[in-house]
Amino acid sequence: MTEKDFLPKHTEALPESGKVAWKAPSNIALVKYWGKKENQIPANPSISFTLDACATRTTLSFQKKETTSKFSFDLYLDGKPKADFKPKIEVFFDRIAEYVPFVKEYHFVIETSNSFPHSSGIASSASGMSALALCLMDLERQMQPNMDPSFFMRKASFLARLGSGSACRSLEGDLVVWGKHESIEGSSNLFGLKYPFKVHDNFKHYHDTILLVDKGEKQVSSTVGHNLMHGHPFAKERFKQAYQNLTSLQAILKSGDLAEFVKVVESEALTLHAMMMSSNPYFILMKPNTLEIINKIWSFRKETQMPVCFTLDAGANVHVLYPESIKESVIQFVQDELVAHCDNGHYICDRIGTGAKKLIIPKK
């Protein structure tokens, strides 16, 4: 598919007003997306686990307005106006207006809330933008009642990507690929694709315990971080590595090889941070407690032979990944050894989920 496939087609009359709501999860990348081209196109393919508990709920109320010269919306986070989020939504609407021109026809009220604290250090852009994109597609579907469900999801992913790249991986579950890879038919730089191959039972019901090492503002924005890959001395090799790691992961997911899964996932996490440490300007996003946690995970794995591993996003927090079969032992390990390195002892227990869900709006 190309961008042209997502341009608007003939629609029925616009509804005067209404309200829709969706819940969309966050995701955690196994092979990392780091570096992008124009129009939110990834420099390398990535794959992620879709989470379950860490999610955003968004309600979109819409009312037709008289003028269509500019975007009109109010934005609320947890019931309170959030003016500092509005510029990002303006940019998002500007990027998607060609594909959903009705965004200029309405005044919107966007009410959003996260299941995790806003200050938790977990990026909410993936879940937030995917939830908003799904609401907009729900409105478009009212104008095209016969819309194919697979096209609905694909276009929602396409739109979400234009708000936040990784958001395109937060619509379906449990594994989503984003970025063109020759061995994955249907993979695209334009939208996320539900992983199309059979996955070994070892990777079903996987868990992600998120250790909140640093709940402060991000030291480096995602946009700045991605842009640092332009002209990076190791960028070309990094993109090749990510491509190869996704190839390797396909065989691992099929065979159920947990030891090889650990190697690929941890290497990807550390490579992401190595790119930041070797960029110009350079940054160290890990904190001392991040390293303490990593070393304790390595020691625990060596002592117990349990396939628990870590991954990192572009920050200090640690995602502890492990299969269902060792859940009780790992949770005990987290409580005994790792909580001490978390900000105020805070951590979140999550697991792999099935994707976004439409919410029922109670009738008045």
Side-chain angles (χ1 to χ4, degrees):
M1 298 181 76
T2 69
E3 290 93 336
K4 291 182 180 179
D5 292 302
F6 299 112
L7 291 171
K9 298 176 176 61
H10 173 72
T11 60
E12 296 183 8
L14 296 172
E16 285 293 322
S17 62
K19 182 184 290 188
V20 293
W22 280 80
K23 174 186 175 183
S26 189
N27 67 77
I28 181 63
L30 306 174
V31 173
K32 307 295 184 181
Y33 144 64
W34 198 244
K36 61 184 176 182
K37 304 171 186 177
E38 286 187 51
N39 299 319
Q40 299 285 87
I41 298 298
N44 66 266
S46 59
I47 185 170
S48 59
F49 271 143
T50 306
L51 297 181
D52 182 41
C54 292
T56 298
R57 291 173 175 262
T58 297
T59 299
L60 182 73
S61 304
F62 50 93
Q63 177 72 50
K64 282 191 75 174
K65 57 189 180 73
E66 294 182 2
T67 62
T68 60
S69 58
K70 61 180 181 178
F71 306 118
S72 176
F73 64 94
D74 296 314
L75 179 64
Y76 298 89
L77 175 65
D78 297 326
K80 298 178 182 179
K82 198 67 178 174
D84 53 330
F85 280 12
K86 294 192 74 170
K88 188 166 187 176
I89 303 299
E90 286 269 7
V91 171
F92 175 53
F93 280 174
D94 189 58
R95 288 174 177 171
I96 67 173
E98 180 181 6
Y99 305 100
V100 282
F102 60 81
V103 293
K104 289 188 175 181
E105 302 275 350
Y106 290 100
H107 173 74
F108 295 108
V109 177
I110 305 166
E111 299 170 273
T112 188
S113 63
N114 298 321
S115 63
F116 47 92
H118 178 60
S119 61
S120 67
I122 298 173
S124 59
S125 57
S127 54
M129 285 298 182
S130 57
L132 180 54
L134 284 161
C135 286
L136 291 169
M137 282 305 298
D138 210 339
L139 174 52
E140 180 171 296
R141 185 163 54 185
Q142 293 184 31
M143 307 170 211
Q144 297 182 37
N146 297 321
M147 183 183 293
D148 180 78
S150 63
F151 178 81
F152 173 92
M153 276 295 179
R154 195 154 291 183
K155 184 169 179 179
S157 179
F158 171 83
L159 296 177
R161 187 198 95 243
L162 294 172
S164 172
S166 60
C168 75
R169 298 191 311 244
S170 276
L171 284 82
E172 298 182 277
D174 47 3
L175 283 158
V176 177
V177 176
W178 172 37
K180 185 66 179 174
H181 194 286
E182 64 179 10
S183 68
I184 303 177
E185 185 177 356
S187 59
S188 172
N189 291 332
L190 301 179
F191 49 81
L193 174 75
K194 184 176 169 64
Y195 187 69
F197 305 126
K198 186 176 180 180
V199 175
H200 194 280
D201 285 347
N202 283 352
F203 299 107
K204 301 294 177 66
H205 312 298
Y206 233 71
H207 288 262
D208 178 7
T209 296
I210 307 159
L211 307 179
L212 305 179
V213 173
D214 181 12
K215 296 191 290 183
E217 289 294 318
K218 294 173 70 173
Q219 182 182 350
V220 183
S221 73
S222 296
T223 298
V224 170
H226 286 292
N227 287 340
L228 289 173
M229 292 299 284
H230 297 304
H232 194 294
F234 308 132
K236 186 176 180 180
E237 288 303 312
R238 163 57 198 156
F239 300 145
K240 286 169 57 178
Q241 179 198 45
Y243 191 93
Q244 180 55 50
N245 278 343
L246 183 48
T247 301
S248 300
L249 204 55
Q250 291 175 64
I252 291 166
L253 292 171
K254 182 179 180 180
S255 68
D257 191 331
L258 291 166
E260 288 301 310
F261 177 82
V262 166
K263 290 179 184 178
V264 170
V265 170
E266 290 191 344
S267 173
E268 275 287 313
L270 294 174
T271 300
L272 168 63
H273 284 257
M275 292 298 102
M276 293 297 289
M277 287 189 279
S278 53
S279 64
N280 184 19
Y282 43 80
F283 298 93
I284 297 178
L285 303 182
M286 289 186 280
K287 302 292 185 182
N289 279 331
T290 307
L291 297 174
E292 289 286 346
I293 289 168
I294 289 172
N295 279 301
K296 286 190 174 181
I297 289 172
W298 284 343
S299 295
F300 178 80
R301 188 167 69 226
K302 184 177 180 180
E303 292 167 6
T304 65
Q305 298 300 302
M306 291 183 183
V308 57
C309 69
F310 71 88
T311 189
L312 308 164
D313 275 336
N317 299 330
V318 182
H319 292 249
V320 185
L321 301 177
Y322 50 95
E324 172 84 21
S325 59
I326 60 172
K327 175 186 174 183
E328 291 184 8
S329 297
V330 175
I331 290 296
Q332 192 64 55
F333 163 59
V334 167
Q335 293 173 346
D336 291 346
E337 300 288 337
L338 304 185
V339 167
H341 304 294
C342 297
D343 188 348
N344 289 321
H346 290 170
Y347 65 97
I348 298 172
C349 290
D350 208 340
R351 62 188 300 156
I352 307 314
T354 56
K357 295 177 176 64
K358 182 173 180 177
L359 302 176
I360 303 301
I361 298 174
K363 293 182 179 180
K364 293 182 179 180

